[in-house]
Amino acid sequence: MDLSIGEVAQRSGLSVHALRFYEREGLFANPVRRLANGRRVYHEEELEWLAICTKLRSSGMPLATIRQYIELARQGAGNEHERLELLRRHERQVEAQVRELQEALDVMREKVRIYEEHLARGEADRLWNPSHAEADPGPEQACR
């Protein structure tokens, strides 16, 4: 089934501008077909790829790496190990990001807990405030 750029935008959640950008950057596995009048025509396969591609982008994969992956895929059989290694490298990077975010979340949860306790005891004025550093317990105590 042929899909217009508007339909692909609606179904993928990407803007028409983003779809044109992806096309210019060579991020589609196959060239986007055009009708005689110049209108772009997409297929379901492009939607499936866009779903993967947007996850790769949202996980921090650079456009150049996505392009490299697509170029390898276009070459066909014989480079599957290269594609797998590219994906594994990115997987390790995403895992490191997740660990960093988990550490940040742990810190935020502890800060929320401290603030909730101080507010519940009516001691919010004891929370660290840089403009009143002499009277405040300081960040090292407020973070405990």
Side-chain angles (χ1 to χ4, degrees), residues 20-34:
R20 289 180 182 139
F21 173 79
Y22 276 42
E23 181 182 358
R24 276 193 313 275
E25 291 296 315
L27 299 180
F28 281 96
N30 297 305
V32 175
R33 285 187 320 117
R34 291 184 183 250

Side-chain angles (χ1 to χ4, degrees), residues 104-119:
L105 181 58
D106 292 345
V107 168
M108 293 309 306
R109 285 181 173 154
E110 180 64 9
K111 292 298 291 176
V112 165
R113 186 192 63 76
I114 290 168
Y115 271 74
E116 288 173 342
E117 286 177 3
H118 278 75
L119 288 169

Side-chain angles (χ1 to χ4, degrees), residues 27 49 53 56-57 61-70:
L27 299 180
W49 167 248
C53 191
L56 294 174
R57 284 295 299 140
M61 184 180 275
L63 291 176
T65 306
I66 296 172
R67 198 176 302 108
Q68 180 184 5
Y69 178 79
I70 291 170

Side-chain angles (χ1 to χ4, degrees), residues 85-114:
E85 185 52 37
L86 184 146
L87 293 171
R88 281 184 174 154
R89 268 194 317 269
H90 187 64
E91 179 184 40
R92 288 188 296 270
Q93 292 171 343
V94 170
E95 287 170 342
Q97 289 174 330
V98 168
R99 282 190 301 275
E100 287 179 31
L101 284 171
Q102 185 60 56
E103 290 170 11
L105 181 58
D106 292 345
V107 168
M108 293 309 306
R109 285 181 173 154
E110 180 64 9
K111 292 298 291 176
V112 165
R113 186 192 63 76
I114 290 168

Side-chain angles (χ1 to χ4, degrees), residues 1-87:
M1 178 171 118
D2 288 347
L3 302 167
S4 71
I5 194 168
E7 290 169 323
V8 172
Q10 183 179 33
R11 289 180 56 184
S12 69
L14 295 169
S15 68
V16 169
H17 175 75
L19 292 169
R20 289 180 182 139
F21 173 79
Y22 276 42
E23 181 182 358
R24 276 193 313 275
E25 291 296 315
L27 299 180
F28 281 96
N30 297 305
V32 175
R33 285 187 320 117
R34 291 184 183 250
L35 299 175
N37 62 8
R39 290 182 182 249
R40 292 168 176 85
V41 178
Y42 300 87
H43 292 103
E44 291 292 327
E45 295 83 25
E46 277 96 14
L47 279 172
E48 293 170 18
W49 167 248
L50 284 170
I52 295 167
C53 191
T54 55
K55 290 300 179 195
L56 294 174
R57 284 295 299 140
S58 68
S59 68
M61 184 180 275
L63 291 176
T65 306
I66 296 172
R67 198 176 302 108
Q68 180 184 5
Y69 178 79
I70 291 170
E71 288 170 9
L72 288 168
R74 283 180 187 152
Q75 292 170 14
N79 61 26
E80 292 84 359
H81 291 287
E82 289 177 72
R83 286 185 258 167
L84 176 60
E85 185 52 37
L86 184 146
L87 293 171

